[in-house]
Amino acid sequence: FNMEGVDKAPAEIRDSVESILRRIDHTLSGYNKNSVLSRFNAGETVVVDEMFAEIYSMGYSVWEETGGAVDVSFSPLYDMWGFGFRNGSMPTSAQVDSVMNFCGMGLCVESIDDLIGQEVSPESIYLAPHGSASPQINYNAIAQGYSCDLVARYLYSVGIKDMMVNIGEIFCDGKNPSGVAWTIGIDRPEDGNNELGAQLQGVFSVPEGAHGVVTSGNYRKFYVKDGKKYAHTIDPRTGYPVTHNLLSATVIAENAMLADAYATYCMVIGYDQAKSFIESREDLEGCLVYDDGGEFATWYSAGLEPRKVM
């Protein structure tokens, strides 16, 4: 980010950003077994803070807007599939049906804002308990984007205007160090392409202004059936993997949390619907990588400026 006009020392800004990231890890990480989220998912009673309540509301809003295609409360379903359908160890239809019966934001309260500062048990936000079942939440579809937005909020608060926040997902505003628009490269969704930026499928300049930029699709994890590539994505509306040809979706939105959610949404609904969705929204731009007869193909929305892939 550009430090011009900022009165805080870089070390102080670094420490503040690291503090924000530690708080996110403590509250929302599914990998930190001692986080508030992990303890909540384990059935423990936890104290709800503003961050936990805010992302819960975001998750509910995204679920409503996408008609259930992005559902943060289907953690047991995602865990059940894992990488199973790639190596042949698929869950049975009875197992999928069982999970579908007790998961979903439709079984949870809309908001927990009025519970901030209080101790909350998973069962207390569950509207229709099934035996010993309780909500288990996985914020992978929005947490990294949300983290970018939180860091960006802080940077704005200290006077920084030109920035790129990259925490797996991206938030950017202003100009890059060369004084021009930020440029984003999209990795080729190909087995073995595990080094970021090593093999690019597309490059574009980010439109002027503040934007979240997120690529979704687990696009290094696809499987091949009858000569076609399929993305490693689960549709929470059906309980099963998608079987379309969209391999990665990059969405540019007003913030990184929304870009994160919409990129996941695109990966669930597939190329044709994703293209229509992005084109129908004046506040979105996008880039879709899909399988076209066994070859990689790339579509850019009208507002993006594609660059030559070197």
Side-chain angles (χ1 to χ4, degrees), residues 73-247:
S73 70
F74 261 105
S75 184
L77 180 70
Y78 306 136
D79 291 344
M80 173 183 288
W81 280 101
F83 297 102
F85 71 95
R86 198 175 188 194
N87 60 28
S89 58
M90 290 188 175
T92 65
S93 58
Q95 289 174 320
V96 172
D97 290 344
S98 174
V99 171
M100 295 289 287
N101 283 334
F102 69 81
C103 286
M105 290 303 287
L107 298 176
C108 299
V109 298
E110 182 174 353
S111 172
I112 56 175
D113 289 351
D114 59 343
L115 301 176
I116 293 174
Q118 299 181 34
E119 292 188 345
V120 176
S121 67
E123 292 78 9
S124 67
I125 71 166
Y126 207 38
L127 299 177
H130 292 264
S132 60
S134 62
Q136 292 187 29
I137 298 175
N138 181 330
Y139 287 122
N140 285 352
I142 58 175
Q144 283 184 296
Y146 175 68
S147 300
C148 292
D149 293 337
L150 288 184
V151 171
R153 285 184 205 172
Y154 166 73
L155 297 178
Y156 282 130
S157 75
V158 299
I160 293 172
K161 299 177 181 178
D162 298 312
M163 68 180 77
M164 174 179 279
V165 179
N166 186 343
I167 313 175
E169 321 301 5
I170 289 173
F171 178 92
C172 57
D173 195 1
K175 306 295 185 181
N176 70 13
S178 298
V180 298
W182 294 99
T183 300
I184 304 293
I186 302 170
D187 288 321
R188 176 179 286 265
E190 190 167 59
D191 270 358
N193 181 18
N194 296 318
E195 182 181 348
L196 295 176
Q199 300 179 57
L200 296 179
Q201 177 67 24
V203 179
F204 60 86
S205 296
V206 179
E208 183 177 349
H211 292 95
V213 185
V214 176
T215 298
S216 186
N218 293 328
Y219 52 92
R220 290 188 180 88
K221 305 183 186 76
F222 58 80
Y223 65 104
V224 179
K225 182 179 180 181
D226 299 328
K228 294 184 179 180
K229 301 182 182 73
Y230 295 102
H232 199 289
T233 301
I234 308 298
D235 186 343
R237 300 170 300 179
T238 66
Y240 288 88
V242 299
T243 55
H244 56 61
N245 64 340
L246 182 59
L247 299 176

